[in-house]
Amino acid sequence: MTVWDDRLDADERALLTPGRPLDLDRSPDVLVVGGGAIGLAAAVFARRAGLGRVVLIERAPRLAPGASSGNGGAIAPDMHVATDSPEFVAFGRRSRQLYRDLDAEWEHAIGTWPTRWLDIRPAGTFPERSAATGSDQGGPRPLSESDVRELEPDVRLPDGAEARLAEGQLAVDPLRLALALAARAGQVVTGVGLLGVSVHGDRVGTVHTTAGDFTPGALIVATGLVPPPWHRRVPQRWVKGHMLAVAPGPWRLGSVLAGPFGGGTPLPGGGVVCGGTFDEGDRSREVRPEVADPMAKGLATLIPAAADARISHRWCCFRPQIEDRQPVVDRLPEVTNGWFAGGHFTTGIMMAPATGAALAEWAASGRAPDGVSTFTLPPAPLHYPL
């Protein structure tokens, strides 16, 4: 169980498991497949765009399964300035602004909180673009050791380490985000999975599911990885990762600590979420303490007072990665009324609002919106047998 699960009450848990209603709309204007952060955001923005009746289906018993609830809740696009494309950073910053706008409009129902990121690395190992594309473009700026001590009195830089600071970022409890989105996403259904589609000409005509068929006007697929029949020749995989949380202790931490030494995200109340790992080749769904627990030692490398920190939670999840790609926001091949969003890997929470808004704009106008030209699917074969 994640640290976020323990922050829900019984009524909130029930809202995340709506099940299947008796009056299930079989012919919605928009059918969204996938009840993670991306799918929920797509449904919300489809409604905001006036696209008509929206139905969202999720195959798991609960909304926000997998990586959508098993992450650290980071909304930190400026941490990507030195490592990712300008298009990626701009899209992330748009998402961050949408979070602020929605949270204000919804009277803080999402519950984001401000964060600053302290990136600590061995000297000379910051990405080469850091100096050229750092603070002048909103990315992390260098700090001296005395600056770090003043900012975070309980943090100690390892010998020879350097630090950079990115301010103005956000964080969110992923399950509270799912609750806020689900309340505004139309008809939301759990326990219903996608089986396949029937295409008529250049349109998705029928969507086959474990609860029977749907005939939507438009289809948005947000299943993490590209599903059949469009998955052929798409280099994609699930990557397992562990997370953990430590209970509050005799230290104070106001910044997210990042970098190869370790670190974590401070939680309201004093705990810290650490992670995650990249467990190549591990396909099991079991939590492995021998993989997770070293992250607590990494935290103690930077915060000596956390050497005896009590681990309160350990969990794992699988992240969707479409190799050699940034997140994908694109039409489904060979159809005019279908779209796919996925492959967000570790950035699904961060990118959810901008992704949902882009999909809704595309469905409403029929034209690709600005900002998604680099988020395309790999080239498709000439024909997919459907």
Side-chain angles (χ1 to χ4, degrees):
M1 179 177 290
T2 75
V3 68
W4 313 116
D5 288 280
D6 275 355
R7 293 171 171 247
L8 298 179
D9 60 33
D11 290 339
E12 290 167 333
R13 291 190 180 94
L15 290 172
L16 288 175
T17 56
R20 188 195 313 176
L22 295 176
D23 59 342
L24 185 54
D25 186 350
R26 299 286 179 173
S27 300
D29 297 289
V30 180
L31 177 66
V32 179
V33 179
I38 300 296
L40 287 166
V44 167
F45 280 94
R47 297 188 76 207
R48 291 171 69 89
L51 295 182
R53 303 187 321 278
V54 178
V55 173
L56 179 146
I57 60 172
E58 164 55 48
R59 69 177 179 180
R62 190 185 78 166
L63 297 171
S68 285
S69 60
N71 63 86
I75 306 165
D78 293 348
M79 291 298 293
H80 295 265
V81 165
T83 57
D84 290 285
S85 69
E87 294 83 1
F88 182 98
V89 174
F91 203 72
R93 287 172 172 168
R94 170 162 169 70
S95 216
R96 181 179 60 190
Q97 187 57 51
L98 285 170
Y99 269 116
R100 291 180 173 132
D101 295 344
L102 292 174
D103 221 5
E105 179 182 334
W106 296 347
E107 298 180 340
H108 206 52
I110 298 174
T112 60
W113 66 88
T115 62
R116 59 178 183 248
W117 282 63
L118 192 58
D119 193 2
I120 300 174
R121 298 175 181 267
T125 64
F126 277 93
E128 292 181 2
R129 293 169 55 199
S130 294
T133 61
S135 57
D136 61 324
Q137 293 188 18
R141 59 181 176 85
L143 293 186
S144 68
E145 187 170 358
S146 61
D147 291 335
V148 172
R149 182 67 61 90
E150 182 176 355
L151 184 71
E152 295 290 351
D154 288 330
V155 170
R156 299 292 181 269
L157 292 185
D159 290 343
E162 297 177 338
R164 295 179 186 271
L165 178 69
E167 299 180 280
Q169 313 308 298
L170 298 175
V172 68
D173 177 329
L175 291 182
R176 297 209 173 277
L177 169 63
L179 286 167
L181 294 174
R184 299 159 176 86
Q187 189 175 54
V188 177
V189 183
T190 52
V192 175
L194 175 68
L195 294 176
V197 300
S198 295
V199 173
H200 308 298
D202 64 353
R203 294 181 62 82
V204 174
T206 306
V207 177
H208 311 291
T209 78
T210 56
D213 291 349
F214 291 81
T215 55
L219 173 67
I220 294 174
V221 179
T223 51
L225 298 184
V226 183
W230 299 287
H231 68 301
R232 300 177 186 275
R233 291 175 55 182
V234 176
Q236 59 182 6
R237 60 180 179 154
W238 295 102
V239 179
K240 183 178 179 180
H242 280 77
M243 303 280 292
L244 64 77
V246 301
W251 68 84
R252 294 293 178 269
L253 180 64
S255 305
V256 179
L257 302 180
F261 293 106
T265 300
L267 297 175
V272 181
V273 172
C274 302
T277 62
F278 301 103
D279 307 332
E280 296 291 348
D282 186 351
R283 299 292 180 263
S284 78
R285 297 191 174 274
E286 299 299 317
V287 175
R288 299 170 58 195
E290 69 272 19
V291 175
D293 291 3
M295 290 186 286
K297 295 179 180 179
L299 178 67
T301 298
L302 301 178
I303 305 178
D308 297 319
R310 179 178 65 85
I311 296 174
S312 60
H313 299 78
R314 301 179 184 91
W315 68 93
C316 65
C317 65
F318 287 81
R319 312 174 185 99
Q321 183 183 39
I322 298 176
E323 295 183 34
D324 301 322
R325 295 276 148 171
Q326 297 184 81
V328 170
V329 183
D330 201 359
R331 279 194 190 275
L332 288 167
E334 299 190 345
V335 297
T336 59
N337 67 332
W339 290 266
F340 172 78
H344 287 76
F345 197 39
T346 61
T347 62
I349 292 293
M350 182 175 80
M351 296 298 204
T355 301
L359 290 166
E361 181 181 344
W362 203 337
S365 69
R367 299 184 302 275
D370 294 338
V372 300
S373 61
T374 63
F375 302 153
T376 56
L377 277 167
L382 293 177
H383 177 68
Y384 286 96
L386 297 173

PDB file of all heavy atoms in Angstrom, residues 16 22 61 63 94 107 110 125 138 145 173 178 207 210 218 238 256 277 291 301 308 311 329 332-334 339 347 372:
ATOM      1  N   LEU A  16     -13.163   6.196  -5.482  1.00  0.00           N
ATOM      2  CA  LEU A  16     -12.178   5.717  -6.445  1.00  0.00           C
ATOM      3  C   LEU A  16     -12.551   4.356  -7.030  1.00  0.00           C
ATOM      4  O   LEU A  16     -11.873   3.879  -7.950  1.00  0.00           O
ATOM      5  CB  LEU A  16     -10.792   5.634  -5.795  1.00  0.00           C
ATOM      6  CG  LEU A  16     -10.104   6.970  -5.495  1.00  0.00           C
ATOM      7  CD1 LEU A  16      -8.799   6.737  -4.743  1.00  0.00           C
ATOM      8  CD2 LEU A  16      -9.840   7.761  -6.776  1.00  0.00           C
ATOM      9  N   LEU A  22     -25.785   0.995 -13.696  1.00  0.00           N
ATOM     10  CA  LEU A  22     -26.826   0.310 -14.461  1.00  0.00           C
ATOM     11  C   LEU A  22     -27.163   1.051 -15.744  1.00  0.00           C
ATOM     12  O   LEU A  22     -27.546   0.435 -16.752  1.00  0.00           O
ATOM     13  CB  LEU A  22     -28.075   0.170 -13.594  1.00  0.00           C
ATOM     14  CG  LEU A  22     -27.935  -0.735 -12.355  1.00  0.00           C
ATOM     15  CD1 LEU A  22     -29.214  -0.708 -11.543  1.00  0.00           C
ATOM     16  CD2 LEU A  22     -27.576  -2.157 -12.767  1.00  0.00           C
ATOM     17  N   PRO A  61     -10.102  -2.448 -10.729  1.00  0.00           N
ATOM     18  CA  PRO A  61     -11.234  -2.138  -9.851  1.00  0.00           C
ATOM     19  C   PRO A  61     -11.238  -0.707  -9.341  1.00  0.00           C
ATOM     20  O   PRO A  61     -12.274  -0.220  -8.893  1.00  0.00           O
ATOM     21  CB  PRO A  61     -11.049  -3.124  -8.676  1.00  0.00           C
ATOM     22  CG  PRO A  61     -10.134  -4.189  -9.186  1.00  0.00           C
ATOM     23  CD  PRO A  61      -9.246  -3.514 -10.181  1.00  0.00           C
ATOM     24  N   LEU A  63      -9.744   3.496  -9.767  1.00  0.00           N
ATOM     25  CA  LEU A  63      -9.105   4.534 -10.570  1.00  0.00           C
ATOM     26  C   LEU A  63      -7.671   4.778 -10.105  1.00  0.00           C
ATOM     27  O   LEU A  63      -7.307   4.466  -8.968  1.00  0.00           O
ATOM     28  CB  LEU A  63      -9.899   5.834 -10.480  1.00  0.00           C
ATOM     29  CG  LEU A  63     -11.332   5.803 -11.028  1.00  0.00           C
ATOM     30  CD1 LEU A  63     -12.057   7.083 -10.660  1.00  0.00           C
ATOM     31  CD2 LEU A  63     -11.325   5.597 -12.546  1.00  0.00           C
ATOM     32  N   ARG A  94       3.351  24.274 -19.235  1.00  0.00           N
ATOM     33  CA  ARG A  94       1.929  24.512 -19.484  1.00  0.00           C
ATOM     34  C   ARG A  94       1.087  23.675 -18.522  1.00  0.00           C
ATOM     35  O   ARG A  94       0.091  24.157 -17.975  1.00  0.00           O
ATOM     36  CB  ARG A  94       1.573  24.168 -20.932  1.00  0.00           C
ATOM     37  CG  ARG A  94       0.075  24.151 -21.210  1.00  0.00           C
ATOM     38  CD  ARG A  94      -0.256  24.234 -22.681  1.00  0.00           C
ATOM     39  NE  ARG A  94      -1.664  23.969 -22.949  1.00  0.00           N
ATOM     40  CZ  ARG A  94      -2.662  24.762 -22.628  1.00  0.00           C
ATOM     41  NH1 ARG A  94      -2.414  25.904 -21.986  1.00  0.00           N
ATOM     42  NH2 ARG A  94      -3.908  24.449 -22.918  1.00  0.00           N
ATOM     43  N   GLU A 107     -11.418  25.515  -6.039  1.00  0.00           N
ATOM     44  CA  GLU A 107     -11.293  25.809  -4.606  1.00  0.00           C
ATOM     45  C   GLU A 107     -10.358  24.835  -3.907  1.00  0.00           C
ATOM     46  O   GLU A 107     -10.645  24.284  -2.855  1.00  0.00           O
ATOM     47  CB  GLU A 107     -12.674  25.830  -3.935  1.00  0.00           C
ATOM     48  CG  GLU A 107     -13.584  26.914  -4.502  1.00  0.00           C
ATOM     49  CD  GLU A 107     -14.944  26.947  -3.839  1.00  0.00           C
ATOM     50  OE1 GLU A 107     -15.333  25.932  -3.227  1.00  0.00           O
ATOM     51  OE2 GLU A 107     -15.610  27.999  -3.929  1.00  0.00           O
ATOM     52  N   ILE A 110      -7.755  19.950  -5.870  1.00  0.00           N
ATOM     53  CA  ILE A 110      -6.603  19.120  -6.218  1.00  0.00           C
ATOM     54  C   ILE A 110      -5.591  19.098  -5.082  1.00  0.00           C
ATOM     55  O   ILE A 110      -5.001  18.062  -4.778  1.00  0.00           O
ATOM     56  CB  ILE A 110      -5.942  19.630  -7.511  1.00  0.00           C
ATOM     57  CG1 ILE A 110      -6.927  19.546  -8.687  1.00  0.00           C
ATOM     58  CG2 ILE A 110      -4.671  18.838  -7.835  1.00  0.00           C
ATOM     59  CD1 ILE A 110      -6.397  20.164  -9.975  1.00  0.00           C
ATOM     60  N   THR A 125      29.413  16.562 -12.668  1.00  0.00           N
ATOM     61  CA  THR A 125      28.519  15.562 -13.273  1.00  0.00           C
ATOM     62  C   THR A 125      27.141  16.101 -13.613  1.00  0.00           C
ATOM     63  O   THR A 125      26.282  15.339 -14.061  1.00  0.00           O
ATOM     64  CB  THR A 125      28.344  14.343 -12.343  1.00  0.00           C
ATOM     65  OG1 THR A 125      27.684  14.750 -11.132  1.00  0.00           O
ATOM     66  CG2 THR A 125      29.684  13.712 -12.022  1.00  0.00           C
ATOM     67  N   GLY A 138      14.927  29.425 -16.464  1.00  0.00           N
ATOM     68  CA  GLY A 138      14.070  28.914 -15.412  1.00  0.00           C
ATOM     69  C   GLY A 138      14.515  27.593 -14.840  1.00  0.00           C
ATOM     70  O   GLY A 138      13.818  27.007 -14.020  1.00  0.00           O
ATOM     71  N   GLU A 145      27.956  25.834  -0.856  1.00  0.00           N
ATOM     72  CA  GLU A 145      27.701  24.995   0.322  1.00  0.00           C
ATOM     73  C   GLU A 145      27.061  25.799   1.437  1.00  0.00           C
ATOM     74  O   GLU A 145      26.163  25.314   2.133  1.00  0.00           O
ATOM     75  CB  GLU A 145      29.005  24.367   0.804  1.00  0.00           C
ATOM     76  CG  GLU A 145      28.799  23.354   1.924  1.00  0.00           C
ATOM     77  CD  GLU A 145      30.061  22.573   2.228  1.00  0.00           C
ATOM     78  OE1 GLU A 145      31.081  22.784   1.541  1.00  0.00           O
ATOM     79  OE2 GLU A 145      30.015  21.750   3.162  1.00  0.00           O
ATOM     80  N   ASP A 173      -0.743  15.127  -4.063  1.00  0.00           N
ATOM     81  CA  ASP A 173      -1.102  13.775  -3.652  1.00  0.00           C
ATOM     82  C   ASP A 173      -1.815  13.141  -4.846  1.00  0.00           C
ATOM     83  O   ASP A 173      -2.894  13.596  -5.236  1.00  0.00           O
ATOM     84  CB  ASP A 173      -2.030  13.851  -2.437  1.00  0.00           C
ATOM     85  CG  ASP A 173      -2.531  12.503  -1.957  1.00  0.00           C
ATOM     86  OD1 ASP A 173      -2.694  11.586  -2.782  1.00  0.00           O
ATOM     87  OD2 ASP A 173      -2.808  12.380  -0.748  1.00  0.00           O
ATOM     88  N   ALA A 178      -6.684  12.303  -8.430  1.00  0.00           N
ATOM     89  CA  ALA A 178      -7.628  11.417  -9.108  1.00  0.00           C
ATOM     90  C   ALA A 178      -9.057  11.684  -8.652  1.00  0.00           C
ATOM     91  O   ALA A 178      -9.987  11.697  -9.470  1.00  0.00           O
ATOM     92  CB  ALA A 178      -7.255   9.956  -8.844  1.00  0.00           C
ATOM     93  N   VAL A 207     -16.206  -0.149 -30.119  1.00  0.00           N
ATOM     94  CA  VAL A 207     -15.172  -0.481 -29.143  1.00  0.00           C
ATOM     95  C   VAL A 207     -15.691  -1.649 -28.318  1.00  0.00           C
ATOM     96  O   VAL A 207     -16.746  -1.562 -27.688  1.00  0.00           O
ATOM     97  CB  VAL A 207     -14.847   0.723 -28.236  1.00  0.00           C
ATOM     98  CG1 VAL A 207     -13.813   0.333 -27.186  1.00  0.00           C
ATOM     99  CG2 VAL A 207     -14.356   1.902 -29.074  1.00  0.00           C
ATOM    100  N   THR A 210     -15.024  -5.636 -21.928  1.00  0.00           N
ATOM    101  CA  THR A 210     -15.500  -6.729 -21.076  1.00  0.00           C
ATOM    102  C   THR A 210     -16.918  -6.486 -20.576  1.00  0.00           C
ATOM    103  O   THR A 210     -17.527  -7.390 -20.001  1.00  0.00           O
ATOM    104  CB  THR A 210     -14.564  -6.917 -19.885  1.00  0.00           C
ATOM    105  OG1 THR A 210     -14.442  -5.680 -19.167  1.00  0.00           O
ATOM    106  CG2 THR A 210     -13.174  -7.361 -20.353  1.00  0.00           C
ATOM    107  N   ALA A 218     -15.953   9.617 -30.600  1.00  0.00           N
ATOM    108  CA  ALA A 218     -14.500   9.732 -30.599  1.00  0.00           C
ATOM    109  C   ALA A 218     -13.942   8.820 -29.520  1.00  0.00           C
ATOM    110  O   ALA A 218     -14.598   8.560 -28.499  1.00  0.00           O
ATOM    111  CB  ALA A 218     -14.059  11.172 -30.353  1.00  0.00           C
ATOM    112  N   TRP A 238       6.898  -1.978 -19.970  1.00  0.00           N
ATOM    113  CA  TRP A 238       6.647  -1.522 -18.613  1.00  0.00           C
ATOM    114  C   TRP A 238       7.949  -1.637 -17.827  1.00  0.00           C
ATOM    115  O   TRP A 238       8.655  -2.648 -17.931  1.00  0.00           O
ATOM    116  CB  TRP A 238       5.569  -2.361 -17.937  1.00  0.00           C
ATOM    117  CG  TRP A 238       4.212  -2.234 -18.562  1.00  0.00           C
ATOM    118  CD1 TRP A 238       3.604  -3.106 -19.397  1.00  0.00           C
ATOM    119  CD2 TRP A 238       3.291  -1.154 -18.373  1.00  0.00           C
ATOM    120  NE1 TRP A 238       2.363  -2.649 -19.762  1.00  0.00           N
ATOM    121  CE2 TRP A 238       2.137  -1.446 -19.141  1.00  0.00           C
ATOM    122  CE3 TRP A 238       3.319   0.031 -17.637  1.00  0.00           C
ATOM    123  CZ2 TRP A 238       1.032  -0.607 -19.189  1.00  0.00           C
ATOM    124  CZ3 TRP A 238       2.215   0.881 -17.689  1.00  0.00           C
ATOM    125  CH2 TRP A 238       1.090   0.559 -18.451  1.00  0.00           C
ATOM    126  N   VAL A 256      12.683  19.384  -2.009  1.00  0.00           N
ATOM    127  CA  VAL A 256      12.828  18.054  -2.582  1.00  0.00           C
ATOM    128  C   VAL A 256      14.317  17.847  -2.856  1.00  0.00           C
ATOM    129  O   VAL A 256      14.957  18.681  -3.485  1.00  0.00           O
ATOM    130  CB  VAL A 256      12.036  17.917  -3.893  1.00  0.00           C
ATOM    131  CG1 VAL A 256      12.235  16.518  -4.496  1.00  0.00           C
ATOM    132  CG2 VAL A 256      10.554  18.191  -3.660  1.00  0.00           C
ATOM    133  N   THR A 277      13.182   3.540  -8.046  1.00  0.00           N
ATOM    134  CA  THR A 277      14.201   2.734  -8.685  1.00  0.00           C
ATOM    135  C   THR A 277      13.783   2.382 -10.110  1.00  0.00           C
ATOM    136  O   THR A 277      12.633   2.578 -10.497  1.00  0.00           O
ATOM    137  CB  THR A 277      14.421   1.449  -7.890  1.00  0.00           C
ATOM    138  OG1 THR A 277      13.193   0.691  -7.870  1.00  0.00           O
ATOM    139  CG2 THR A 277      14.850   1.751  -6.462  1.00  0.00           C
ATOM    140  N   VAL A 291      15.501  -4.009  -2.421  1.00  0.00           N
ATOM    141  CA  VAL A 291      15.619  -3.000  -3.480  1.00  0.00           C
ATOM    142  C   VAL A 291      15.165  -1.635  -2.963  1.00  0.00           C
ATOM    143  O   VAL A 291      15.777  -0.608  -3.267  1.00  0.00           O
ATOM    144  CB  VAL A 291      14.782  -3.411  -4.710  1.00  0.00           C
ATOM    145  CG1 VAL A 291      14.804  -2.312  -5.774  1.00  0.00           C
ATOM    146  CG2 VAL A 291      15.315  -4.710  -5.296  1.00  0.00           C
ATOM    147  N   THR A 301      22.290   9.829   3.584  1.00  0.00           N
ATOM    148  CA  THR A 301      23.553  10.364   3.074  1.00  0.00           C
ATOM    149  C   THR A 301      23.521  11.884   3.046  1.00  0.00           C
ATOM    150  O   THR A 301      24.535  12.542   3.288  1.00  0.00           O
ATOM    151  CB  THR A 301      23.821   9.826   1.653  1.00  0.00           C
ATOM    152  OG1 THR A 301      23.930   8.403   1.713  1.00  0.00           O
ATOM    153  CG2 THR A 301      25.078  10.421   1.068  1.00  0.00           C
ATOM    154  N   ASP A 308      18.409   6.892  11.277  1.00  0.00           N
ATOM    155  CA  ASP A 308      17.553   5.908  11.930  1.00  0.00           C
ATOM    156  C   ASP A 308      16.080   6.101  11.567  1.00  0.00           C
ATOM    157  O   ASP A 308      15.186   5.696  12.320  1.00  0.00           O
ATOM    158  CB  ASP A 308      17.718   5.986  13.450  1.00  0.00           C
ATOM    159  CG  ASP A 308      19.135   5.645  13.896  1.00  0.00           C
ATOM    160  OD1 ASP A 308      19.721   4.697  13.322  1.00  0.00           O
ATOM    161  OD2 ASP A 308      19.671   6.342  14.781  1.00  0.00           O
ATOM    162  N   ILE A 311      11.016   3.373   8.204  1.00  0.00           N
ATOM    163  CA  ILE A 311      10.319   3.210   6.933  1.00  0.00           C
ATOM    164  C   ILE A 311       8.857   2.887   7.234  1.00  0.00           C
ATOM    165  O   ILE A 311       8.554   1.898   7.907  1.00  0.00           O
ATOM    166  CB  ILE A 311      10.962   2.093   6.096  1.00  0.00           C
ATOM    167  CG1 ILE A 311      12.391   2.489   5.715  1.00  0.00           C
ATOM    168  CG2 ILE A 311      10.133   1.822   4.837  1.00  0.00           C
ATOM    169  CD1 ILE A 311      13.158   1.398   5.001  1.00  0.00           C
ATOM    170  N   VAL A 329       1.497  11.885 -27.672  1.00  0.00           N
ATOM    171  CA  VAL A 329       0.161  12.489 -27.784  1.00  0.00           C
ATOM    172  C   VAL A 329      -0.096  12.577 -29.278  1.00  0.00           C
ATOM    173  O   VAL A 329       0.418  13.463 -29.965  1.00  0.00           O
ATOM    174  CB  VAL A 329       0.092  13.889 -27.131  1.00  0.00           C
ATOM    175  CG1 VAL A 329      -1.331  14.437 -27.215  1.00  0.00           C
ATOM    176  CG2 VAL A 329       0.566  13.849 -25.686  1.00  0.00           C
ATOM    177  N   LEU A 332      -4.422   7.918 -33.312  1.00  0.00           N
ATOM    178  CA  LEU A 332      -4.242   6.504 -33.567  1.00  0.00           C
ATOM    179  C   LEU A 332      -4.080   6.287 -35.070  1.00  0.00           C
ATOM    180  O   LEU A 332      -4.761   6.960 -35.860  1.00  0.00           O
ATOM    181  CB  LEU A 332      -5.444   5.712 -33.048  1.00  0.00           C
ATOM    182  CG  LEU A 332      -5.545   5.596 -31.526  1.00  0.00           C
ATOM    183  CD1 LEU A 332      -6.911   5.070 -31.122  1.00  0.00           C
ATOM    184  CD2 LEU A 332      -4.444   4.691 -30.978  1.00  0.00           C
ATOM    185  N   PRO A 333      -3.196   5.391 -35.486  1.00  0.00           N
ATOM    186  CA  PRO A 333      -2.962   5.209 -36.918  1.00  0.00           C
ATOM    187  C   PRO A 333      -4.230   4.822 -37.678  1.00  0.00           C
ATOM    188  O   PRO A 333      -5.045   4.038 -37.203  1.00  0.00           O
ATOM    189  CB  PRO A 333      -1.938   4.066 -36.963  1.00  0.00           C
ATOM    190  CG  PRO A 333      -1.255   4.130 -35.642  1.00  0.00           C
ATOM    191  CD  PRO A 333      -2.307   4.561 -34.673  1.00  0.00           C
ATOM    192  N   GLU A 334      -4.393   5.425 -38.834  1.00  0.00           N
ATOM    193  CA  GLU A 334      -5.401   5.069 -39.830  1.00  0.00           C
ATOM    194  C   GLU A 334      -6.845   5.431 -39.454  1.00  0.00           C
ATOM    195  O   GLU A 334      -7.775   5.018 -40.132  1.00  0.00           O
ATOM    196  CB  GLU A 334      -5.329   3.576 -40.173  1.00  0.00           C
ATOM    197  CG  GLU A 334      -4.001   3.157 -40.772  1.00  0.00           C
ATOM    198  CD  GLU A 334      -4.020   1.741 -41.321  1.00  0.00           C
ATOM    199  OE1 GLU A 334      -4.949   0.978 -41.005  1.00  0.00           O
ATOM    200  OE2 GLU A 334      -3.088   1.395 -42.060  1.00  0.00           O
ATOM    201  N   TRP A 339      -7.462   8.841 -30.707  1.00  0.00           N
ATOM    202  CA  TRP A 339      -6.194   9.412 -30.248  1.00  0.00           C
ATOM    203  C   TRP A 339      -5.602   8.528 -29.174  1.00  0.00           C
ATOM    204  O   TRP A 339      -6.301   7.780 -28.483  1.00  0.00           O
ATOM    205  CB  TRP A 339      -6.424  10.823 -29.677  1.00  0.00           C
ATOM    206  CG  TRP A 339      -6.765  11.829 -30.718  1.00  0.00           C
ATOM    207  CD1 TRP A 339      -5.905  12.670 -31.367  1.00  0.00           C
ATOM    208  CD2 TRP A 339      -8.063  12.095 -31.273  1.00  0.00           C
ATOM    209  NE1 TRP A 339      -6.585  13.442 -32.280  1.00  0.00           N
ATOM    210  CE2 TRP A 339      -7.916  13.114 -32.247  1.00  0.00           C
ATOM    211  CE3 TRP A 339      -9.330  11.573 -31.041  1.00  0.00           C
ATOM    212  CZ2 TRP A 339      -8.974  13.623 -32.973  1.00  0.00           C
ATOM    213  CZ3 TRP A 339     -10.403  12.070 -31.772  1.00  0.00           C
ATOM    214  CH2 TRP A 339     -10.221  13.084 -32.732  1.00  0.00           C
ATOM    215  N   THR A 347       6.610  10.820 -15.779  1.00  0.00           N
ATOM    216  CA  THR A 347       6.087  12.195 -15.814  1.00  0.00           C
ATOM    217  C   THR A 347       4.587  12.261 -16.079  1.00  0.00           C
ATOM    218  O   THR A 347       4.091  13.294 -16.495  1.00  0.00           O
ATOM    219  CB  THR A 347       6.830  13.028 -16.881  1.00  0.00           C
ATOM    220  OG1 THR A 347       6.617  12.453 -18.183  1.00  0.00           O
ATOM    221  CG2 THR A 347       8.321  13.086 -16.585  1.00  0.00           C
ATOM    222  N   VAL A 372       2.644  19.678 -29.562  1.00  0.00           N
ATOM    223  CA  VAL A 372       2.679  18.213 -29.535  1.00  0.00           C
ATOM    224  C   VAL A 372       3.377  17.618 -30.755  1.00  0.00           C
ATOM    225  O   VAL A 372       3.364  16.410 -30.936  1.00  0.00           O
ATOM    226  CB  VAL A 372       1.263  17.615 -29.401  1.00  0.00           C
ATOM    227  CG1 VAL A 372       0.596  18.081 -28.124  1.00  0.00           C
ATOM    228  CG2 VAL A 372       0.402  17.940 -30.616  1.00  0.00           C
TER     229      VAL A 372
END
